[in-house]
Amino acid sequence: MGKKKKKKNRGSRTHGRGIKSGRGAGERGGRGKAGLNKHKYPTMANEEPDFLGPKGFSRPQNLIEEKEAINIYQVEEQMNELVEEGYASKSGSTYIVDLKSAGYDKLLAGGSARYQMKIEVPSSSERAVYKIEEAGGEVNTEED
């Protein structure tokens, strides 16, 4: 059985939808959340008053501390400079390094330890302590 021929709205230019509401989203002012800060503002202000504006919070800048960290390989690369500036000294085959007074807060495990080092630092990673002790040195932290 075939389709029946549509008989309604024949001869009508807009088929009962008004002049401009035939296609697109023009009749409803855009799709979705379009226009919430323009022509749909009153609706948004009543139904979703917190939609616009800041959300969350910003931490106070005076509470944010950036830790100055250094890797093992960087300590070894800078060893001569640290000795010249008085932050390190050599006792036999062991280097004694004070990273706290050099301005560093944490020792990280990047690289490998080739020298025996006795390092004084506020904090360090477990892997860094392991690598230094494996090379015959020791790490003293304030956490201990």
Side-chain angles (χ1 to χ4, degrees):
M1 192 171 213
K3 287 186 178 178
K4 266 189 162 180
K5 187 173 179 184
K6 185 176 176 190
K7 294 180 180 175
K8 290 185 177 177
N9 292 320
R10 287 293 165 216
S12 168
R13 182 173 163 195
T14 58
H15 293 264
R17 292 180 298 216
I19 292 185
K20 281 190 77 174
S21 60
R23 61 176 68 95
E27 185 74 3
R28 55 186 163 142
R31 288 190 172 95
K33 295 187 182 287
L36 286 183
N37 203 20
K38 304 280 185 190
H39 55 281
K40 292 183 187 173
Y41 190 87
T43 307
M44 184 268 309
N46 290 331
E47 294 176 11
E48 294 184 73
D50 296 331
F51 182 75
L52 297 175
K55 292 161 186 70
F57 64 95
S58 296
R59 291 194 64 202
Q61 292 299 307
N62 60 350
L63 295 180
I64 298 173
E65 290 180 23
E66 292 223 6
K67 289 194 173 186
E68 195 66 36
I70 189 167
N71 283 298
I72 294 172
Y73 79 91
Q74 293 171 315
V75 173
E76 292 189 350
E77 284 178 356
Q78 298 174 15
M79 191 62 75
N80 292 333
E81 296 167 23
L82 291 169
V83 170
E84 288 173 11
E85 294 171 7
Y87 299 123
S89 61
K90 188 167 185 180
S91 173
S93 64
T94 305
Y95 283 97
I96 300 169
V97 185
D98 187 5
L99 290 178
K100 182 179 181 180
S101 61
Y104 294 102
D105 299 315
K106 188 164 187 174
L107 178 66
L108 301 177
S112 59
R114 293 174 294 168
Y115 308 130
Q116 284 186 350
M117 293 182 281
K118 185 175 180 180
I119 298 178
E120 186 77 35
V121 66
S123 67
S124 66
S125 66
E126 291 178 20
R127 186 92 177 129
V129 173
Y130 173 77
K131 285 184 176 183
I132 296 291
E133 288 175 352
E134 195 176 57
E138 80 179 79
V139 177
N140 295 327
T141 62
E142 293 175 357
E143 298 168 350
D144 295 339

